[in-house]
Every structure is written in C-alpha cells, then in structure tokens.
Amino acid sequence: MAKLRPRPEEGQHIDPSIDSPTPHLDRLLHRRARQSSTDRPRSTRPEQVHHPPPHPAAHPSIHAILAERSLVLAVLIASGVPARDRPDVEQQVLLGAWRSVERGMYRPDPSDEPRRALRAWIHGVAWRKVSHYVNSAYVRRVVLHAQPLGLLREPAGPSLEAKIDARADLQALAQLTPWQREMLLAVDRPESLVAFAKARGMNPYTAASRLRIAREALALKLRRRR
C-alpha cells in the first residue's frame, strides 16, 4: 500500500517507494477484526430444519371416523372420564379428528392396513383430548351439588309464568297443519325464504303468502288460549 508524502509546493504526493503496510499496523487491524467477531452475539437457538412430510395426506370419510366411536369410548372409560362428561369429550374427539383430516394432518403409512392405521391415529387424538380435559380448570375445581340453583341468592332462568306461556305456545303450534308448521320453522333456517321455496319447487310469492297465513293461524290460536 502506498503512502502519501506531503509536498508544500505541489500538495500531497504518493510515495511509490513504500508499497506494503507496516507490520504493527497489520497486526493491529487483524486484532480488531478478531475482537469484533468475538464480541458479536451468537444465537443459542438451533437452526430449524423443515423436513417434508413422510407420507401423503389421507382423507377418510366422516363415516369411517364415526365407526370408531367404541374405541373412543374405551379410551374415555380407561382414562377415568366420568359418565356425565363422556358425550361431550367424545364429541370433541370426533370433531377434532375430522378437522385434522380436513387440514391434511392425517398422513398414515401407505403400507399399513387402512383401518388399523386409522384406529391408531384416533387413539392418539382421544388421549390428547382426554389430557386437555383432565388438566382443565373446570375438572380440577368443579364442585358438584345436588341442587345448585338453591345456592343462588336470586332465582335463575325463566320464571314460572314464562314457562307456562312457552308451553301454551308449543301446544298452539302443535295444532297447526304440517305445512303451516313447516313455513313457520322455515324462518329460523339459515337460508332465505326465497332459497327455501326454490329448493322445494315453490314460487317465492306462494311461500310468502303461506308464511303470512301460518302466522295468522298461530296468532288466532294464541288469542283463543289466552
């Protein structure tokens, strides 16, 4: 490396006679480079290596999953799930297995027998759900009581008058004709009245007219009973 030699009359001048750095400057630069590398924080987390799934995803039907309910029930009984909670936990297991299949998480070995692989996988899903159930705060802290509503300071739930009115409404609804009940219940469907009518080959205006007639018939019966 050449150095700059000052010349007052011509400014600075590059001295070609010196074309290499001094030894102490070389050692100083090398020492600073080593210190900067050692002072740099090193990550302690291991590098994550993403491996491709070993087997392709399989998609058994919901009927194949529901056919293994006896296996799920056996796991619940063996793990100590009380009878009062078994239907709820069983539903969580079956629903969780079906959602996992839809997400492509069921990847059995193609060389295994299909039902044996499915039963082994559902067995694992059931054990995981049971573990969540056993360790939940509800199970660990629940206190059973023969009359839990009697512990409340105020009455809970519908009043006696509301229960009587609801029973009268159900009796009036039962006295309607089948098509009138069907039209009244169609209002509670997620589909619109137009979609309900088209699915049954009915004119939408006819469906609206039948719904109006069914409402009037129900209102008339309710007025007679009250």
Side-chain angles (χ1 to χ4, degrees):
M1 178 179 178
K3 287 189 175 181
L4 296 178
R5 174 174 296 180
R7 285 190 176 183
E9 67 280 4
E10 298 180 5
Q12 293 182 343
H13 175 71
I14 299 178
D15 188 358
S17 61
I18 305 176
D19 55 355
S20 61
T22 57
H24 72 277
L25 181 59
D26 191 9
R27 290 194 299 268
L28 179 61
L29 295 176
H30 183 65
R31 188 182 303 113
R32 289 184 177 178
R34 291 182 58 185
Q35 290 178 354
S36 62
S37 62
T38 55
D39 295 340
R40 188 178 304 167
R42 298 180 179 179
S43 176
T44 58
R45 297 179 58 184
E47 296 183 359
Q48 296 182 357
V49 180
H50 298 280
H51 298 284
H55 305 297
H59 297 83
S61 63
I62 185 62
H63 301 287
I65 296 177
L66 293 177
E68 308 300 337
R69 297 181 62 180
S70 59
L71 172 63
V72 176
L73 182 60
V75 174
L76 301 185
I77 296 176
S79 59
V81 177
R84 68 177 186 275
D85 294 339
R86 287 172 193 168
D88 295 336
V89 181
E90 178 188 3
Q91 182 179 6
Q92 295 177 8
V93 172
L94 298 175
L95 184 60
W98 173 244
R99 289 178 175 176
S100 298
V101 168
E102 289 184 328
R103 293 195 300 266
M105 299 176 61
Y106 177 55
R107 298 176 177 270
D109 189 346
S111 61
D112 293 343
E113 197 273 328
R115 186 179 180 187
R116 180 181 301 176
L118 180 61
R119 286 175 62 87
W121 182 71
I122 293 179
H123 187 274
V125 175
W127 273 113
R128 287 191 293 271
K129 291 294 183 180
V130 168
S131 176
H132 295 164
Y133 163 82
V134 173
N135 296 323
S136 63
Y138 166 76
V139 176
R140 290 185 286 107
R141 301 180 182 180
V142 66
V143 178
L144 299 180
H145 194 273
Q147 297 293 335
L149 297 180
L151 301 177
L152 300 177
R153 297 181 179 179
E154 298 179 356
S159 62
L160 181 60
E161 292 79 6
K163 292 181 180 179
I164 296 176
D165 293 339
R167 184 173 300 177
D169 295 343
L170 291 176
Q171 292 178 355
L173 185 63
Q175 294 177 358
L176 298 176
T177 60
W179 71 265
Q180 290 175 341
R181 289 196 300 268
E182 183 182 12
M183 294 306 305
L184 292 175
L185 295 176
V187 181
D188 193 46
R189 291 176 174 269
E191 57 185 0
S192 63
L193 185 62
V194 175
F196 173 83
K198 290 182 178 181
R200 288 157 180 78
M202 185 188 310
N203 189 297
Y205 296 100
T206 303
S209 177
R210 290 187 178 184
L211 178 60
R212 177 181 55 81
I213 295 173
R215 286 175 173 174
E216 292 177 354
L218 178 61
L220 179 61
K221 291 186 178 297
L222 292 177
R223 286 196 299 268
R224 291 177 178 178
R225 297 185 66 88
R226 295 175 183 176

